[in-house]
């Protein structure tokens, strides 16, 4: 150990990197957890939110520094494709889960075998059973609340699916009136409503308070009920990991036997520093991880780094129902309709999930009314009336990996430290487009059954903030970046811990899976050390 600055250096302190660091630190392994952004206490973020006039901008309360720029900053992401892929991405200790929605689904065995079953996309290079125990560990760390008795495949079977060896750490939250009434009226039409498992515990667990339904999960949970990566980063620190903030990694150095021997990083003053370790884990999220690899010219013998970019590109429907449903009470989403999660249709079109967004709708409704010239006491009355009836369906599509959908370090643009920004090329494929008529038919049905008046039933394609595929996992060094352990094919001591490794997107939010994989990689490294 004396020859190295640490046994393991983890680059990126989001939920994924922090879980890898914690797992290693618990084993007594020396760890440096490197983070480009600063460390901020929750109260400060909350104060920033209260002071911000742009309450709808989830990034606004968070730091946006010249050396750690967030993804919405103009000029940071150059788009060259037909769709602007602009995922929200934060740069501070804990990363983007400070303002996620905390949905923590598991993939199913079918999601992981999509090519074998349906002849499209790529299979995972591992079975669900291999990942299953690590899902349990990830759910434990994130304190996931969920139902132990639902068929999450959306087939309406009276069984728990996918299979679990451990129960959810906390029971599911009670249904909001909004969710309950939509379910009561739409279920008779054959729609299967599934409860969302999420990292907002319904009971107070090991210092985390129970969720009290403040509906502020995005941009910040005021009481720290919703999980964010900083919680695990700080636990790693308690176990002895060293946290190094405001340190932007810009190069991985290769040595003998193609091993990575050092990481070079810059501090905000522009000074360059070098740290050595036996193992390196890059966990700088699905965009910055491949960028760092490409800037360092490592791990890319397959030419797949940065390619196969997937999101769960989505669509939306908003309408006013014929009865008051009172959205905006309780957490920001509770689940949705899963009929199109799995089946033979996946040979022809993308899987589809309809989530019921439960955001406070007053702002949208007010803007809608003002555009129509409604003012004064009539405006007040109409806001009350329509906000209570607002239904917001947020749909996501399964994506397939295409090498042409890619990101690269920008050839000319750089940030304040002289580090390249990103250029993105992204097109929505025919697999998704073939699913649009199915979505439109569902939308028409929802509106009809709920006696609705449409506010917007064609939002066009939308971002869903899930970055996958960019350092794709596979069973061959020829066409993938990492193997089933998330170890790079090219460098035996370099692991990647990010949603970017996910080779088949399915339609579920990917963070829990990346955390499960990171815990597994950390255990593999711990054994080798
Ligand atoms: C509004 C919103 C809602 C979301 N809701 C959900 C949801 O409900 N469920 C779900 O599963 N996912 C959700 N996501 C996605 C989720 O936030 C991400 O998948 C998750 O944060 C990824 O975790 P990560 O640790 O890989 O990356 P991040 O959380 O982005 O953390 C990466 C960290 O690495 C640091 N870093 C980057 N580059 C460097 C570098 N060069 N050197 C040092 N440090 C670096 C960054 O500063 C950052 O702190 C949502 C995202 C958004 C924006
Ligand atoms: S609903 Fe409120 S208390 Fe619950 S996680 Fe969201 S912000 Fe926190």
């Amino acid at each position: 150990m004396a020859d190295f600055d640490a046994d393991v250096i983890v680059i990126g302190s989001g939920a994924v990197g922090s879980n890898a660091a914690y797992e290693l630190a618990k084993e007594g392994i020396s760890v440096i957890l490197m983070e480009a952004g600063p460390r901020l206490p929750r109260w400060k973020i909350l104060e920033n939110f209260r002071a911000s006039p742009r309450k709808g901008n989830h990034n606004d309360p968070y730091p946006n520094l010249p050396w750690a720029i967030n993804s919405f900053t103009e000029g940071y992401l150059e788009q060259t494709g037909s769709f602007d892929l602009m995922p929200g991405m934060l740069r501070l200790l804990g990363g983007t889960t400070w303002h996620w929605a905390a949905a923590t689904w598991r993939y199913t065995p079918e999601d992981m075998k999509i090519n074998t079953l349906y002849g499209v996309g790529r299979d995972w290079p591992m079975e669900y059973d291999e990942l299953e125990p690590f899902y349990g560990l990830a759910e434990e760390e994130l304190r996931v609340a969920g139902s132990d008795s639902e068929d999450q495949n959306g087939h309406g079977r009276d069984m728990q699916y996918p299979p679990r060896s451990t129960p959810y750490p906390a029971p599911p939250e009670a249904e909001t009136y909004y969710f309950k009434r939509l379910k009561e009226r739409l279920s008779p039409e054959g729609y299967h409503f599934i409860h969302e498992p999420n990292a907002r515990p319904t009971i107070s667990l090991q210092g985390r308070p129970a969720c009290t339904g403040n509906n502020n999960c995005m941009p910040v949970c005021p009481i720290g009920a919703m999980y964010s990566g900083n919680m695990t980063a700080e636990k790693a620190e308690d176990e002895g990991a060293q946290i190094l903030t405001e340190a932007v990694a810009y190069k991985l150095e290769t040595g003998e036997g193609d091993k990575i021997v050092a990481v070079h990083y810059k501090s905000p003053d522009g000074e360059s520093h070098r740290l050595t370790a036996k193992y390196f884990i890059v966990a700088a999220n699905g965009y910055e991880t491949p960028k760092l690899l490409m800037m360092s010219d490592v791990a890319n013998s397959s030419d797949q780094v940065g390619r196969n970019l997937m999101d769960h590109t989505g669509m939306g429907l908003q309408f006013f129902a014929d009865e008051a449903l009172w959205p905006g009470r309780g957490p920001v989403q509770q689940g949705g309709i899963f009929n199109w999660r799995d089946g033979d249709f996946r040979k022809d079109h993308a899987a589809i999930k309809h989530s019921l967004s439960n955001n406070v709708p007053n702002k949208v409704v007010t803007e809608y009314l003002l555009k129509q010239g409604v003012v004064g006491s009539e405006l007040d009355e109409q806001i009350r009336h329509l906000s209570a009836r607002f239904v917001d369906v947020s749909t996501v599509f399964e994506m397939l990996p295409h090498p042409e959908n890619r990101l690269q370090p920008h050839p000319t643009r750089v940030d304040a430290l002289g580090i390249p920004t990103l250029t993105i090329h992204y097109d929505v494929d025919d697999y998704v487009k073939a699913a649009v008529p199915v979505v439109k038919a569902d939308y028409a049905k929802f509106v009809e059954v709920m006696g609705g008046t449409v506010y917007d039933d064609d939002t066009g394609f939308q971002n869903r903030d899930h970055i996958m595929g960019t350092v794709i996992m596979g069973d061959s060094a020829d066409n993938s970046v990492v193997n089933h352990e998330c170890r790079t094919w090219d460098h035996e001591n370099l692991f990647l811990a990010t949603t970017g490794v996910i080779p088949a997107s399915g339609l579920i939010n990917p963070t829990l899976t990346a955390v499960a994989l990171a815990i597994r990689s950390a255990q593999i490294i711990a054994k080798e050390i």
Side-chain angles (χ1 to χ4, degrees), residues 55-226:
K55 298 277 190 279
N57 180 340
H58 298 152
N59 281 6
D60 216 44
Y62 293 94
N64 187 17
L65 301 163
W67 63 88
I69 302 174
N70 76 36
S71 54
F72 292 166
T73 304
E74 211 180 326
Y76 190 63
L77 301 177
E78 180 196 56
Q79 307 281 342
T80 61
S82 57
F83 180 79
D84 289 357
L85 199 64
M86 298 274 295
M89 186 175 80
L90 294 179
R91 303 283 203 99
L92 75 164
L93 188 75
T96 310
T97 46
W98 271 100
H99 71 17
W100 66 331
T104 39
W105 304 93
R106 294 178 174 202
Y107 282 109
T108 61
E110 292 82 3
D111 287 336
M112 296 169 76
K113 288 274 169 264
I114 180 165
N115 188 273
T116 303
L117 292 173
Y118 307 120
V120 294
R122 295 195 190 198
D123 285 351
W124 284 61
M126 70 166 93
E127 301 287 330
Y128 172 83
D129 289 351
E130 207 177 327
L131 192 56
E132 198 284 330
F134 298 95
Y135 267 135
L137 294 176
E139 286 164 350
E140 196 60 41
E141 176 56 22
L142 272 60
R143 312 272 187 273
V144 175
S147 162
D148 284 317
S149 59
E150 278 184 332
D151 173 11
Q152 293 183 358
N153 242 2
H155 291 161
R157 296 168 296 182
D158 187 16
M159 63 184 284
Q160 177 187 76
Y161 198 82
R164 311 176 51 85
S165 59
T166 46
Y168 279 110
E173 62 212 2
E175 285 178 2
T176 57
Y177 184 74
Y178 171 74
F179 188 84
K180 187 164 161 273
R181 278 301 290 153
L182 284 163
K183 185 169 152 185
E184 276 169 1
R185 291 184 65 180
L186 289 169
S187 292
E189 302 294 326
Y191 290 113
H192 299 306
F193 281 68
I194 308 293
H195 246 104
E196 173 190 278
N198 53 52
R200 297 185 289 259
T202 43
I203 48 176
S204 176
L205 282 171
Q206 296 166 19
R208 281 252 305 280
C211 167
T212 51
N214 295 305
N215 201 267
N216 208 62
C217 322
M218 297 176 289
V220 57
C221 173
I223 60 170
M226 184 176 73

Side-chain angles (χ1 to χ4, degrees), residues 9-23:
I9 295 179
V10 181
I11 300 163
S13 73
V16 184
S18 293
N19 271 279
Y22 179 45
E23 200 62 28

